[in-house]
Amino acid sequence: MPDLPEHRPVLAGARYNGMTGASLRMEALPEGHLLHVLGAIEPPALAAELVKAGFTNSSIRKAGFRQWFIAGDEPLASAGLDALTAALAGKAFVMDQSHGRVRIGVSGRSSRLLLSKGTAVDLDPTVFAEGSSAMTMVGHLSVQIVRTGDDDFELTVLRSFAESLWDELRHMAASAEKDGGA
């Protein structure tokens, strides 16, 4: 019987150990779980169902009309996915996207300057508050940006584009540094 493929994080190795400066940090986040939920369920009701299904440390991110991403650092347990799918039956559909998307954290006082070089989303805290999310483009890549703190952001990208996004962010960081930000 052939060996099963071994899962390896896409942003692994010395090249992706993160980037830390005086005012900017970039890091590959754990490849935990990412669920795509589609349906006529509001976030408070979805949050209650997540707790019942054991997703207590997961966050809900708006991904479009009646669409949410449920993201967390812990690997997905099939029992939890089954419980959530059963609880949402008739209200919403759940699709596991954990294997197909990667999250990158960008933080620090220069994080908005860095991200402004690649996207047109207004990241000012008065417009894009903590917990806000937007599906947008960073350069030529489709990305979901989520504000997770005052100067903290999380970018979610399709797995096959993760290395390209990482390289694009490093390039933008070098440009931001030249501009005196990072």
Side-chain angles (χ1 to χ4, degrees):
M1 180 172 175
D3 291 334
L4 295 174
E6 182 180 323
H7 174 78
R8 282 180 266 152
V10 69
L11 297 177
R15 180 176 175 206
Y16 306 107
N17 279 343
M19 185 181 82
T20 304
S23 61
L24 184 66
R25 177 166 171 73
M26 191 169 84
E27 62 184 325
L29 297 175
E31 291 187 14
H33 63 271
L34 188 77
L35 304 176
H36 192 182
V37 177
L38 297 99
I41 185 169
E42 294 300 319
L46 179 56
E49 295 299 343
L50 287 172
V51 170
K52 289 181 204 172
F55 291 92
T56 54
N57 294 322
S58 300
S59 62
I60 301 172
R61 289 104 184 263
K62 187 158 184 60
F65 178 69
R66 293 186 172 175
Q67 295 184 49
W68 297 268
F69 281 137
I70 310 304
D73 292 343
E74 301 82 27
L76 183 64
S78 60
L81 179 59
D82 293 343
L84 183 61
T85 301
L88 296 179
K91 298 178 237 173
F93 296 96
V94 181
M95 294 173 289
D96 180 11
Q97 295 288 305
S98 306
H99 62 286
R101 300 189 189 250
V102 172
R103 298 177 301 136
I104 297 172
V106 177
S107 59
R109 73 175 187 272
S110 295
S111 57
R112 281 182 281 149
L113 175 62
L114 167 75
L115 294 174
S116 72
K117 294 190 171 292
T119 187
V121 174
D122 186 350
L123 300 173
D124 187 275
T126 60
V127 176
F128 197 77
E130 188 172 336
S132 296
S133 64
M135 296 299 294
T136 187
M137 302 295 285
V138 172
H140 66 285
L141 302 170
S142 178
V143 173
Q144 181 189 45
I145 297 177
V146 179
R147 177 179 232 114
T148 58
D150 188 40
D151 289 323
D152 304 321
F153 297 88
E154 190 174 294
L155 285 69
T156 303
V157 65
L158 288 171
R159 183 180 190 82
S160 58
F161 294 121
E163 290 178 335
S164 292
L165 178 59
W166 185 271
D167 291 341
E168 185 75 19
L169 290 169
R170 288 183 64 86
H171 178 74
M172 291 186 316
S175 175
E177 192 171 88
K178 286 180 194 173
D179 293 344

